[in-house]
Amino acid sequence: MSVVEITSEAHFNELTTSLPSATPITVSFHTPWAAPCKQMNAVFSFLATQYKDIAFLSVDAEAHPEISETFDVSAVPFFVLIKDGKVVRELSGADPKELSTAIQELSGLQPAGAPTHVTEDNAKEEPTAEEDLNARLAKLVSAAPVMLFMKGTPAAPQCGFSRQLVGILRENQVRFGFFDILKDDAVRQGLKKFSDWPTFPQLYVNGELQGGLDIVKETLAEDPNYFKNFETV
């Protein structure tokens, strides 16, 4: 089954309600400008050719915010796996192996809990919860060339500082990804330690912390071309 690009909320609702109830569904939320999304789009398209029993739907998160809000999408790439009309798993970030494994389990070709081939690599000691969180945070801060960790979303900021920083980015025509820290307390608390920065919002460029609202304001006052100097990759 090929990937279906969703064109509207009505199109999404029509597809998801017309499919047989037993058909598993995988929804990919992406943006056209984020590099990690481009990589995962290719992975998603390949998996669609391998699992004919699953419906693969692709949604531009910015073009269809009403669908994104339904699934509480706070960062891209983001994947939602649905079975029997219920969300059974959500994945955030650009991890091809994790997505492939999740879709394989959704298909039922290799049920979760099946015997695992133990190799030297997977026999090593499991990482701690803190190590797992730090690995996740490292991926999140680099999820887009410019990443904003804020309270709420750009369309509905939940604090004045976040609202002001979103306004500054838009005024300077900076394209940015965002993560709503109110939706994930582990990220909210972990990022304070990870970045050694206790408050939000936090702005990252190419995975490097730039600071919060005050720092950005001060830097802009000193250098009006601050954002133009970004060499995002």
Side-chain angles (χ1 to χ4, degrees), residues 57-147:
L57 309 183
S58 176
V59 179
D60 184 327
E62 288 187 342
H64 305 293
E66 65 283 356
I67 304 176
S68 300
E69 290 174 5
T70 298
F71 292 97
D72 290 330
V73 177
S74 57
V76 291
F78 188 81
F79 302 92
V80 178
L81 280 62
I82 302 170
K83 194 166 189 177
D84 297 325
K86 297 179 180 179
V87 174
V88 295
R89 190 166 180 183
E90 296 175 341
L91 304 173
S92 180
D95 189 330
K97 184 176 180 180
E98 182 182 29
L99 177 62
S100 178
T101 300
I103 289 179
Q104 186 179 54
E105 293 177 355
L106 181 69
S107 172
L109 295 182
Q110 180 180 330
T116 301
H117 177 207
V118 177
T119 65
E120 182 179 356
D121 287 337
N122 62 28
K124 293 177 182 177
E125 183 178 349
E126 290 295 320
T128 65
E130 183 175 3
E131 288 172 337
D132 283 341
L133 177 59
N134 284 338
R136 183 185 174 204
L137 293 175
K139 291 180 181 179
L140 282 174
V141 299
S142 300
V146 178
M147 273 294 295

Side-chain angles (χ1 to χ4, degrees), residues 102-229:
I103 289 179
Q104 186 179 54
E105 293 177 355
L106 181 69
S107 172
L109 295 182
Q110 180 180 330
T116 301
H117 177 207
V118 177
T119 65
E120 182 179 356
D121 287 337
N122 62 28
K124 293 177 182 177
E125 183 178 349
E126 290 295 320
T128 65
E130 183 175 3
E131 288 172 337
D132 283 341
L133 177 59
N134 284 338
R136 183 185 174 204
L137 293 175
K139 291 180 181 179
L140 282 174
V141 299
S142 300
V146 178
M147 273 294 295
L148 177 63
F149 291 81
M150 61 179 293
K151 294 180 180 179
T153 68
Q158 297 299 306
C159 81
F161 299 117
S162 292
R163 181 179 294 107
Q164 288 185 60
L165 192 42
V166 167
I168 290 172
L169 292 171
R170 286 178 169 168
E171 286 170 12
N172 287 272
Q173 299 181 331
V174 178
R175 304 192 74 172
F176 63 97
F178 74 92
F179 188 95
D180 180 1
I181 60 164
L182 298 180
K183 296 285 182 64
D184 194 321
D185 195 59
V187 170
R188 180 179 184 177
Q189 301 304 326
L191 201 58
K192 295 177 183 179
K193 184 176 180 180
F194 180 86
S195 63
D196 195 22
W197 197 269
T199 59
F200 293 95
Q202 294 182 14
L203 185 69
Y204 287 77
V205 176
N206 295 330
E208 297 292 330
L209 176 68
Q210 304 300 300
L213 176 63
D214 290 342
I215 297 297
V216 172
K217 280 184 171 180
E218 291 172 8
T219 306
L220 268 177
E222 296 172 0
D223 179 9
N225 293 318
Y226 169 57
F227 288 115
K228 295 179 181 178
N229 295 331

Side-chain angles (χ1 to χ4, degrees), residues 1 3 40-51 56 100:
M1 187 177 292
V3 176
M40 294 305 291
N41 285 347
V43 173
F44 194 68
S45 295
F46 172 76
L47 291 171
T49 67
Q50 304 299 302
Y51 296 93
F56 287 77
S100 178

